[in-house]
Amino acid sequence: MTKNRFLTGAAVAVLLGAAAGLAPAWAQTGTAPTQAAPVQAASDAARLVPAATASAVQTIPGMPPVIDARNIYSEARAGNLNPEVAKDPARVYVPNLRSNDVYVIDPTTMKVVDRFPVGKSPQHVVPSWDMRTLWATNNAEGTTEGSLTPIDLRTGKPGAPVPVDDPYNMYFTPDGRSAIVVAEARKRLDFRDPHSMQMQGSVEAPECRGINHAAFSIDGRYAIFTCEFGGMLAKVDTVNRRLIGYLKLSKGGMPQDILTAPNGRTFYVADMHADGVFIVDGDTFRETGFIPTGVGTHGIYPSRDAKFMYVANRGSHKVHGPRHSKEGSVSVIDFATNQVVKTWPIPGGGSPDMGNVSEDGKLLWLSGRFDDVVYAIDTNTGAMTIIPVGAEPHGLTVWPQPGRYSVGHTGITR
């Protein structure tokens, strides 16, 4: 175990409290229940897990219950689609940072079937909490022209952009009450109405240079954000909207994506300079281990059965390239052992970055950031299909996704 380096940015907040809960738009069924609606007991997980397990976790008000405390992704298993989501056409939405557009891929034919302009510098395509809208986060690097472009999931077409300051990334609190716009250049988290995007309040993180990716605890009471250019993590109380503190990582110094483990309390942090994944205990906010993966460790995504995580190694320590890196690869880590069990090199070199897993779990989709392509990777064999897209693809989203609700980024669902 490494030495804890917990730096208090303010007095450590006690995670008390409960914001008044709002009834979720869709919790367990395909309709909009009231907050008092009974939990649907028809899911496989609910039948297989003792009733006490589902009630053991005291979540924040309004958050859908944790069905299996051993696996927060139990409801995001293959085939568990919201009936409304099941009506949406299967598509992969790819934001291209330098060409300022979104390419749309049909995963059946592996062909680009549409493209449309969005705002300046689209970074990610983010599913809303209720899984009925995608938002392209256009952070307009170096300007004040940031915006969010809504994309209709039924038609695949964009709507009118909503002006929003510096939206590098976006998340949703697990109770569905707030969108969290990650204003990276401002070192700030803006809590907004999840539909209108009107401001609710902000959390300043002045020491968190390059704040960008996040993951939530099992009960939704806190989130941990990575500070890309500060070599540290920031822990935030999502109920009281305040900074709890910082954790300086022991080595590396360029944390990227972060993923909550199935147990909801362990966090995995990809570090592009450390070439691997840090393990962090979220509750105590301590670094507890490290898993070497490959050069330029960047994105992390769980398998549909929550047994493995897929780790994209971008192949370089540089922020901007190079193209066709021979070190580009994907590592597969076993959650149970924290060991790398497979490594898939990118044929001819590449730059795997951000993405997600298909609804059935058979394909891992990743952007090839500096190669202007998308990789569709067979999760059984590692075989890859490579599809040309726009200039500098980044945080792509695969649709549809199983699960009851989205906490944001490229479609992390529960």
Side-chain angles (χ1 to χ4, degrees):
M1 180 181 296
T2 59
K3 182 180 179 181
N4 178 43
R5 299 185 181 185
F6 180 41
L7 310 178
T8 305
V12 176
V14 180
L15 294 180
L16 301 170
L22 294 180
W26 176 69
Q28 295 283 353
T29 68
T31 60
T34 63
Q35 198 168 352
V39 175
Q40 177 181 341
S43 71
D44 292 339
R47 286 198 299 267
L48 295 173
V49 178
T53 305
S55 62
V57 179
Q58 298 301 309
T59 61
I60 57 178
M63 176 179 165
V66 175
I67 300 300
D68 184 350
R70 300 162 300 186
N71 178 17
I72 62 172
Y73 304 113
S74 66
E75 303 311 287
R77 64 192 180 278
N80 193 36
L81 287 175
N82 175 334
E84 284 303 307
V85 171
K87 298 175 185 177
D88 299 333
R91 295 289 185 265
V92 179
Y93 296 87
V94 187
N96 298 293
L97 180 62
R98 286 190 293 108
S99 54
N100 300 322
D101 54 17
V102 169
Y103 274 48
V104 184
I105 298 172
D106 182 334
T108 303
T109 63
M110 297 287 184
K111 302 291 186 182
V112 173
V113 294
D114 197 8
R115 59 181 291 190
F116 48 81
V118 289
K120 184 178 180 181
S121 308
Q123 300 281 1
H124 301 87
V125 174
V126 179
S128 62
W129 184 88
D130 62 8
M131 301 173 72
R132 299 312 311 132
T133 305
L134 298 180
W135 295 94
T137 64
N138 316 303
N139 79 322
E141 291 182 314
T143 76
T144 57
E145 301 172 4
S147 66
L148 297 170
T149 301
I151 301 171
D152 187 304
L153 280 163
R154 196 72 87 230
T155 65
K157 298 298 183 181
V162 179
V164 169
D165 186 30
D166 191 29
Y168 175 84
N169 207 345
M170 188 161 67
Y171 291 85
F172 293 88
T173 55
D175 59 4
R177 290 174 59 89
S178 302
I180 304 177
V181 171
V182 183
E184 181 185 43
R186 315 285 189 244
K187 305 175 188 175
R188 192 183 70 219
L189 304 172
D190 291 337
F191 287 70
R192 294 177 176 270
D193 181 279
H195 303 289
S196 70
M197 295 300 161
Q198 291 298 306
M199 187 75 82
Q200 297 173 337
S202 294
V203 174
E204 303 282 347
E207 302 302 317
C208 190
R209 294 186 298 113
I211 188 169
N212 50 36
H213 296 94
F216 293 85
S217 61
I218 189 171
D219 57 8
R221 294 187 181 278
Y222 67 83
I224 297 177
F225 287 79
T226 57
C227 310
E228 180 175 2
F229 305 115
M232 64 175 66
L233 309 175
K235 186 174 180 180
V236 173
D237 177 343
T238 57
V239 175
N240 300 298
R241 296 180 191 162
R242 58 184 175 182
L243 177 69
I244 297 173
Y246 302 104
L247 173 65
K248 183 71 174 177
L249 295 173
S250 61
K251 61 180 179 178
M254 203 173 199
Q256 306 290 316
D257 204 1
I258 179 170
L259 179 71
T260 313
N263 66 20
R265 293 180 170 84
T266 302
F267 291 73
Y268 294 91
V269 182
D271 192 296
M272 205 164 79
H273 282 179
D275 297 336
V277 176
F278 289 101
I279 307 171
V280 173
D281 183 295
D283 291 352
T284 63
F285 208 27
R286 292 176 179 269
E287 181 186 320
T288 61
F290 179 78
I291 308 168
T293 56
V295 176
T297 312
H298 198 79
I300 316 178
Y301 306 96
S303 63
R304 283 281 157 248
D305 58 9
K307 292 182 179 179
F308 304 99
M309 58 179 154
Y310 305 111
V311 181
N313 305 304
R314 207 159 71 176
S316 172
H317 298 149
K318 297 180 180 179
V319 176
H320 301 292
R323 293 174 65 85
H324 308 303
S325 168
K326 299 301 182 184
E327 302 294 336
S329 68
V330 174
S331 300
V332 183
I333 296 176
D334 187 317
F335 275 121
T337 65
N338 286 332
Q339 298 294 314
V340 175
V341 294
K342 297 178 184 177
T343 299
W344 299 320
I346 305 297
S351 49
D353 194 284
M354 294 287 176
N356 209 339
V357 180
S358 61
E359 177 272 331
D360 60 9
K362 294 181 179 180
L363 287 175
L364 169 67
W365 291 83
L366 295 172
S367 59
R369 179 91 177 251
F370 304 115
D371 296 276
D372 301 339
V373 298
V374 162
Y375 312 111
I377 305 170
D378 186 303
T379 55
N380 182 42
T381 66
M384 300 183 195
T385 299
I386 300 177
I387 305 167
V389 290
E392 199 170 336
H394 192 193
L396 68 79
T397 288
V398 184
W399 204 257
Q401 286 289 304
R404 300 167 296 167
Y405 63 96
S406 162
V407 294
H409 190 36
T410 55
I412 302 300
T413 61
R414 295 185 182 183

